[in-house]
Amino acid sequence: MYLWVDLVTPSIPERLILSDTFHFHPLAVDDAMSEIQYPKIEAYDGFLYVILHGIDFEESRNCFATHDVDFFLGTTYLVTVHDGTSRSMAELRDHCPRNTKLLGEGPVALFHRIVDSMVDHYRPEIDQLEERIDRLEAEVFADPTPNVVREILKAKRDVAGLRRIVQPQRDVVGRLARRDFVDISTEMSFRFRDVYDHLVRIADDSLIFQDRITGILDAHLSNVSNRLNEVMKVLTIVSVIFLPLMLLTGAYGMNVTLPHMPGGDAAQFWWIAGLAAAIVVGMLLYFRRRRWL
Amino acid sequence: MYLWVDLVTPSIPERLILSDTFHFHPLAVDDAMSEIQYPKIEAYDGFLYVILHGIDFEESRNCFATHDVDFFLGTTYLVTVHDGTSRSMAELRDHCPRNTKLLGEGPVALFHRIVDSMVDHYRPEIDQLEERIDRLEAEVFADPTPNVVREILKAKRDVAGLRRIVQPQRDVVGRLARRDFVDISTEMSFRFRDVYDHLVRIADDSLIFQDRITGILDAHLSNVSNRLNEVMKVLTIVSVIFLPLMLLTGAYGMNVTLPHMPGGDAAQFWWIAGLAAAIVVGMLLYFRRRRWL
Amino acid sequence: MYLWVDLVTPSIPERLILSDTFHFHPLAVDDAMSEIQYPKIEAYDGFLYVILHGIDFEESRNCFATHDVDFFLGTTYLVTVHDGTSRSMAELRDHCPRNTKLLGEGPVALFHRIVDSMVDHYRPEIDQLEERIDRLEAEVFADPTPNVVREILKAKRDVAGLRRIVQPQRDVVGRLARRDFVDISTEMSFRFRDVYDHLVRIADDSLIFQDRITGILDAHLSNVSNRLNEVMKVLTIVSVIFLPLMLLTGAYGMNVTLPHMPGGDAAQFWWIAGLAAAIVVGMLLYFRRRRWL
Amino acid sequence: MYLWVDLVTPSIPERLILSDTFHFHPLAVDDAMSEIQYPKIEAYDGFLYVILHGIDFEESRNCFATHDVDFFLGTTYLVTVHDGTSRSMAELRDHCPRNTKLLGEGPVALFHRIVDSMVDHYRPEIDQLEERIDRLEAEVFADPTPNVVREILKAKRDVAGLRRIVQPQRDVVGRLARRDFVDISTEMSFRFRDVYDHLVRIADDSLIFQDRITGILDAHLSNVSNRLNEVMKVLTIVSVIFLPLMLLTGAYGMNVTLPHMPGGDAAQFWWIAGLAAAIVVGMLLYFRRRRWL
Amino acid sequence: MYLWVDLVTPSIPERLILSDTFHFHPLAVDDAMSEIQYPKIEAYDGFLYVILHGIDFEESRNCFATHDVDFFLGTTYLVTVHDGTSRSMAELRDHCPRNTKLLGEGPVALFHRIVDSMVDHYRPEIDQLEERIDRLEAEVFADPTPNVVREILKAKRDVAGLRRIVQPQRDVVGRLARRDFVDISTEMSFRFRDVYDHLVRIADDSLIFQDRITGILDAHLSNVSNRLNEVMKVLTIVSVIFLPLMLLTGAYGMNVTLPHMPGGDAAQFWWIAGLAAAIVVGMLLYFRRRRWL
């Protein structure tokens, strides 16, 4: 027999349950009420206080959001406090009435089940982030918009934010798996080790993502330079071909007596045209030799 | 019953209180008097000597400033030494006469209260720093002034300065929370753990800030390159279109007999204009195919 | 006497061998069935559960692929689960009937033999990766295609993927060599130390590879900049030589009375040509002094 | 009663004092005689052997120089070996005859006094290095000479050299402060903790300096790119305005019959001038809209 | 009395000495025979197995090469296996007949002597590497050839290769100095501490080298950008001066009636020349104000 109390954005009177009924330490109660908390685990006299984070993808803002769930884990009770956005908690509450076995293994097993479900919800978000990075990589090489650097920077921040949540979460679960706390049985530590493995992989993924984003930014800079090179080659080739030709026509536009080439007046034009063609061919050969064409 | 002695920029005779009345170790007294000290905690016989830093934002110089507060914490007394700029100390002295409970829990609780208040004052400064970084990021993408690199470098230094203060501070409070020192009760260690969590988050924030500033600088460099690309494209497009046209007009300005196109003298101009239009259209198609337009 | 059970992509009934015959822990059985697992070693009551990775080069996709092999190592049995792509397992099954000594030293020796063979198969893949990096380095300096950055990024990802597999693998074998688990005899720990040395070298290689790829990317960026410099020098040299010449011919094309140089009308042209030649020679000397030529 | 022997660049016979009179271990004697040694502390039977570095700024070469001082610290003696350039040693020898208290606290106190004085001499050098970095930062933003990169690289090397000396020095003094060696009394360990704090700050400063120099180099590269952008904008604006105008004049220089604008012959020029003015105004508006002006 | 067996590229029968006479563990014998081994130390029953690396500079390939020497160190014997290229071993074998004291201190002292000599041979190679880096740094600032990036990358690889060898070597000798193994006397540990100091310095040097090479590459990139800036300034200055002049001459080449300046026909030219001079002077003043000249 044990008690599961699930408080969803508790009102002031409901908060009294924590402080007056359960007599939890005021600091733990304060933490459970406050907004921004990092994942952590703290042993108090008679109970463990755990903060873990679930993950959501906010479609509207196209970025990650996390919500924290607070656990008070005693030998005969589990108290959970959250803001109602956790899908894991919602699913569990739905399934409970139909599936009595779900609750039958004691508070630690119930706690493990919630944690496991929360960590399972990370995977699709991780996959979506990976897709975004794949898309950015493809875009950088294919047809980068001016916006791509901003997108890269945004992905970088999301990955940093993910690491910021996952790493302490991994350490919390790792401590449960290593049985740093006496309330955890061997059997339960095996289960937490399983969750821990998941979190290690996610933390590892986020490191890989970070590396890839750095690589994408490097590639983007390299591509920008390459494209500048291409632009400058076009400008240089055109200038180098046309400037001599323009000098030639300019020279024949001078109001001075130019040397007369063999042939009549009409032949003069063809001499010039021939010289121009020779210049063009010579330049093209020069560029070919330099591998610019 | 315990004693709280608060020394504000002590005069020479007041300093004798430390050395002659309390018989503190001369090195600790020297540290308390000296200007630049990093946060640290040191155990001496019979008392703990702690240096912590409060934070201020200097409007005039638009940068961070910190002031250090020195604590001598004994079992029956708390001696604080500071330069009077600490808001936490000022508030506490204001509240004391009205709120007797404030002082009623012994010197360690009083010490905790000061430390907690000092750390609470960090938050608005952190937020302001984050705003500055947000503004820099927006500016880099929108309309960077030549000054933006200097601003970025300045923010980078402020973040480095913040880390330099927060990390040893975090470690000091962490040692109090882990009860490395016998004078700290379990209850007090819980409270210091709470302060420690705050400092961990602030230290974490400063790491994130550093990452973001690096990202902003990278983005800025990338944007500068992109803008150079844009400038060069305009130059190249204009040159590639006008140089052939200028060659054409130059050729018709030559003082030689040019081949006569079908039609009368007036038609010659329209032949040339048609050829020029063909050149322009051809070039525009070329640039479109290269996605420069 | 001991038992070796080798399960290749076990069907549902075969899986019952793990859970019902051997009574392995459900979490270990789940891990053995699941797809993506990192190398790890876990002690359960009565057996060690080990995941290791073999390596394959997929010709078709020109990248690395790894397959995991799961080991259940007890005192009187070894159970292996894999998907049939492991060459080490295939070879061992081939050799067994002919070479009875192969199986004669107990389950730990058999386990070592498989691990050793799997690690031996890494070497050719590592060599191939090194060749690819050599080729990229040569290409960057010789005749880089626009694709080279993409190739570099791909190699970088492969190296990161390799490290991701090799480092936990190294740690797993290191724990076997350090005899963290009681089932390993001194003699066996010597053998695992040997495998461990191989994995340390491979992990070290992958770090060196990573460094080299960073260097190659830097060199590529530097080369792109150098080539831009070359292009711009050609443009500048041509412009600086031809613009003054074109001004000269333009000046002589003006419909105003120009100062008459000494000599007759025919001499005027040679004055101009001489001036032009002087300009060209002067510019060339200037460029030579600046070491642009 | 104890003995202080101060050997300044000892001659061969003087060296015998170390080996034959004090019977120090040959390896320690060899180290004391050799030129390049890093700060370290070594316990031998009956004495501690310590190498520490003083710092000098060589005006002539405008860079740091360090000299090492070797200490043999026994219970009844202190032997110091150095090359005579140490200001700390010179000052102490000057003060000794006048100040008997200076020597009265035993060899460890004397040793501490020397070390403290040596570390105090670091501060002005650190300040000077900081000034150099400030100057480089100002120069990079104001009016960088081509030499500035070289200066930055030089400062970087000096900072690296400083770290190379300070970090082992800090660790040596840290071990004395932590009382890793039995010869150090609690009182003395407090004093060494004080010196240790100084060295921690200096080591910290050198890390900050390194960060700043990296930032300065980044800023310099960014500024170079910015200036290139400025140069290219000027070129592009001028080209984009003048090329169409030159085409216009070129067109009116053609030896063909051009369409006659309304008005007499003299009006033709004003039509052209008006068209030219329209082109210039249009281009300027375009550049203003692109924020290039 | 002890035995020193020195095997130079042992033939198959000679190898039997290791396995059959000394009964060394097969894995140690295998390692001694295999080609590529990292420095390591391994304790077997009754003997220590050590691999260390000597260093050679291969003139022909202008890069580092290392050869490994294997040691089997027992209480009554030292067995060394190498390929004959070790200068330390050659020197020792030469000196032995003449200097009986050389061998008189037991196998550990002999082992130390070889190790010490091998480490001493590193210094000239380190110095040569430093010279190469000095030369690269000078070249980057003075007159960089296109090959300089390749040279830098090559030096970077050599430094990485050096670190790869020196760091495990340092750790091996460090373990001998810390007396992790019972066979080492205090006196011997002092001697190994001396060798350890050398290796620490060499490892430190290699880190400094790596930093410097990174700095050199940064400086090179910065210089390339600077030179591009110079090139573009020349192009821009010339274009900005000549395009207006060319427009002027083009305007006076138009076949329309231009406004007549005061003065006769001959004066017209001087009006134009004056205007041109005014344009040139104005542009030069503009560039001077922008500090481009």
Side-chain angles (χ1 to χ4, degrees), chain C residues 48-67:
Chain C
L48 287 176
Y49 173 61
V50 186
I51 305 178
L52 291 175
H53 279 239
I55 199 167
D56 292 306
F57 189 78
E58 291 196 9
E59 288 290 345
S60 55
R61 291 170 50 212
N62 194 32
C63 73
F64 281 112
T66 58
H67 55 265

Side-chain angles (χ1 to χ4, degrees), chain B residues 5-263:
Chain B
V5 179
D6 185 36
L7 298 175
V8 182
T9 47
S11 59
I12 305 289
E14 286 178 325
R15 289 180 196 184
L16 294 177
I17 298 172
L18 299 176
S19 50
D20 293 0
T21 314
F22 283 99
H23 297 291
F24 291 139
H25 195 282
L27 286 170
V29 174
D30 278 4
D31 275 357
M33 292 305 125
S34 78
E35 291 260 318
I36 316 159
Q37 288 291 337
Y38 276 4
K40 64 174 175 181
I41 186 165
E42 289 179 347
Y44 284 94
D45 287 340
F47 68 99
L48 287 176
Y49 173 61
V50 187
I51 304 178
L52 292 175
H53 279 239
I55 200 168
D56 293 305
F57 188 78
E58 290 194 10
E59 288 291 346
S60 55
R61 290 170 50 212
N62 194 32
C63 73
F64 281 113
T66 58
H67 54 266
D68 56 329
V69 182
D70 301 81
F71 301 87
F72 296 83
L73 178 64
T75 44
T76 57
Y77 57 83
L78 175 69
V79 180
T80 48
V81 184
H82 56 99
D83 64 355
T85 60
S86 170
R87 284 167 292 169
S88 308
M89 298 302 296
E91 284 167 23
L92 195 66
R93 289 180 79 151
D94 278 3
H95 290 18
C96 268
R98 285 172 281 161
N99 189 341
T100 53
K101 193 173 130 264
L102 211 65
L103 298 172
E105 293 184 278
V108 179
L110 180 63
F111 170 54
H112 162 263
R113 199 173 287 272
I114 297 170
V115 174
D116 194 28
S117 163
M118 280 169 76
V119 171
D120 280 351
H121 278 110
Y122 270 81
R123 182 49 50 193
E125 310 300 339
I126 301 288
D127 291 346
Q128 204 175 38
L129 187 55
E130 185 159 30
E131 256 170 58
R132 252 168 81 197
I133 294 171
D134 287 345
R135 223 163 36 223
L136 280 173
E137 194 175 86
E139 191 186 339
V140 155
F141 284 109
D143 182 24
T145 59
N147 239 356
V148 78
V149 177
R150 181 167 259 186
E151 291 288 326
I152 292 171
L153 225 67
K154 197 150 154 304
K156 198 180 171 188
R157 278 178 72 179
D158 276 357
V159 170
L162 181 67
R163 281 180 57 205
R164 202 188 192 182
I165 291 300
V166 169
Q167 283 179 348
Q169 194 125 325
R170 180 194 63 191
D171 296 341
V172 164
V173 177
R175 293 184 67 188
L176 292 165
R178 277 197 316 277
R179 301 185 66 191
D180 281 7
F181 304 98
V182 283
D183 309 351
I184 313 294
S185 67
T186 315
E187 173 58 29
M188 278 300 142
S189 82
F190 287 164
R191 293 196 195 167
F192 282 114
R193 202 162 61 180
D194 200 59
V195 182
Y196 176 70
D197 282 353
H198 275 85
L199 283 166
V200 165
R201 272 207 297 286
I202 292 171
D204 214 21
D205 281 339
S206 70
L207 272 177
I208 298 273
F209 290 170
Q210 202 182 357
D211 252 32
R212 282 187 63 193
I213 288 172
T214 308
I216 290 172
L217 199 60
D218 284 350
H220 178 65
L221 281 173
S222 163
N223 284 356
V224 168
S225 295
N226 261 328
R227 250 170 277 133
L228 183 61
N229 250 354
E230 287 309 302
V231 171
M232 295 316 296
K233 272 186 194 169
V234 169
L235 176 59
T236 303
I237 290 169
V238 166
S239 300
V240 167
I241 289 175
F242 279 90
L243 289 188
L245 298 185
M246 286 164 78
L247 177 65
L248 192 68
T249 59
Y252 273 86
M254 292 194 294
N255 297 322
V256 297
T257 317
L258 291 160
H260 206 78
M261 296 291 172

Side-chain angles (χ1 to χ4, degrees), chain B residues 25 27 31 38 40 42 44 143 149-150 153 157 164 224 228 231-232 235 245 249 252-254 269, chain D residues 137 141 187 190-191 193-194 197 204-205 212 215 222 229 232 236 239 247 254-255 258 291-292:
Chain B
H25 195 282
L27 286 170
D31 275 357
Y38 276 4
K40 64 174 175 181
E42 289 179 347
Y44 284 94
D143 182 24
V149 177
R150 181 167 259 186
L153 225 67
R157 278 178 72 179
R164 202 188 192 182
V224 168
L228 183 61
V231 171
M232 295 316 296
L235 176 59
L245 298 185
T249 59
Y252 273 86
M254 292 194 294
F269 174 77
Chain D
E137 194 175 85
F141 284 108
E187 173 57 31
F190 287 164
R191 294 196 195 167
R193 201 162 62 181
D194 200 61
D197 281 353
D204 214 21
D205 280 339
R212 282 187 63 194
S222 162
N229 250 353
M232 296 315 295
T236 303
S239 301
L247 177 65
M254 292 194 295
N255 298 323
L258 291 160
R291 291 171 182 270
W292 289 10

Side-chain angles (χ1 to χ4, degrees), chain A residues 78-276:
Chain A
L78 176 70
V79 181
T80 48
V81 184
H82 56 99
D83 65 356
T85 60
S86 170
R87 284 166 293 169
S88 308
M89 298 303 295
E91 284 168 23
L92 196 66
R93 289 179 79 151
D94 279 4
H95 290 19
C96 268
R98 284 171 281 160
N99 188 343
T100 53
K101 195 176 129 259
L102 211 64
L103 297 172
E105 293 184 277
V108 179
L110 180 63
F111 170 54
H112 162 264
R113 199 173 288 272
I114 298 170
V115 174
D116 195 28
S117 164
M118 282 169 74
V119 171
D120 279 350
H121 279 110
Y122 270 80
R123 182 50 49 192
E125 311 298 341
I126 301 288
D127 291 346
Q128 205 175 37
L129 187 56
E130 185 159 29
E131 255 170 57
R132 253 169 80 198
I133 294 171
D134 286 345
R135 222 162 38 223
L136 280 173
E137 194 174 86
E139 192 186 338
V140 155
F141 284 108
D143 182 23
T145 59
N147 240 356
V148 78
V149 177
R150 181 166 259 186
E151 291 288 326
I152 292 171
L153 226 67
K154 197 150 154 303
K156 199 182 170 188
R157 279 179 72 180
D158 275 358
V159 170
L162 181 66
R163 281 180 57 204
R164 203 187 190 182
I165 290 300
V166 169
Q167 283 179 348
Q169 194 125 326
R170 180 195 61 189
D171 295 340
V172 164
V173 177
R175 292 184 67 187
L176 293 165
R178 275 197 317 276
R179 304 185 65 191
D180 282 7
F181 304 100
V182 284
D183 308 353
I184 313 294
S185 67
T186 315
E187 173 56 30
M188 278 301 142
S189 82
F190 287 163
R191 294 197 195 167
F192 281 114
R193 203 162 61 180
D194 201 59
V195 182
Y196 177 70
D197 282 352
H198 275 85
L199 283 166
V200 166
R201 271 206 298 284
I202 292 171
D204 214 22
D205 280 339
S206 69
L207 272 178
I208 298 273
F209 289 170
Q210 201 182 357
D211 252 32
R212 282 187 61 193
I213 288 172
T214 307
I216 291 172
L217 199 61
D218 283 350
H220 179 64
L221 280 174
S222 162
N223 284 355
V224 168
S225 294
N226 261 329
R227 249 170 279 132
L228 183 61
N229 251 354
E230 288 308 302
V231 171
M232 295 316 297
K233 272 186 195 168
V234 169
L235 175 58
T236 302
I237 290 168
V238 165
S239 300
V240 168
I241 289 175
F242 279 91
L243 289 188
L245 298 184
M246 286 164 78
L247 177 66
L248 191 69
T249 60
Y252 275 86
M254 293 193 295
N255 298 322
V256 297
T257 317
L258 291 161
H260 205 78
M261 295 291 172
D265 269 8
Q268 298 303 310
F269 172 77
W270 296 109
W271 276 103
I272 297 168
L275 187 51

Side-chain angles (χ1 to χ4, degrees), chain D residues 232-242 284 287 292-293:
Chain D
M232 296 315 295
K233 271 186 194 169
V234 169
L235 175 59
T236 303
I237 289 169
V238 166
S239 301
V240 167
I241 289 175
F242 280 90
L284 290 177
F287 290 127
W292 289 10
L293 284 177

Side-chain angles (χ1 to χ4, degrees), chain C residues 9 15 27 53 55 76 78 82 94 99 117 134 148 151 177 182 215 218 224 268-269 274 278:
Chain C
T9 49
R15 290 181 196 186
L27 286 169
H53 279 239
I55 199 167
T76 57
L78 176 71
H82 56 99
D94 279 6
N99 187 344
S117 163
D134 287 345
V148 78
E151 291 288 325
V182 284
D218 284 349
V224 168
Q268 297 303 311
F269 172 76

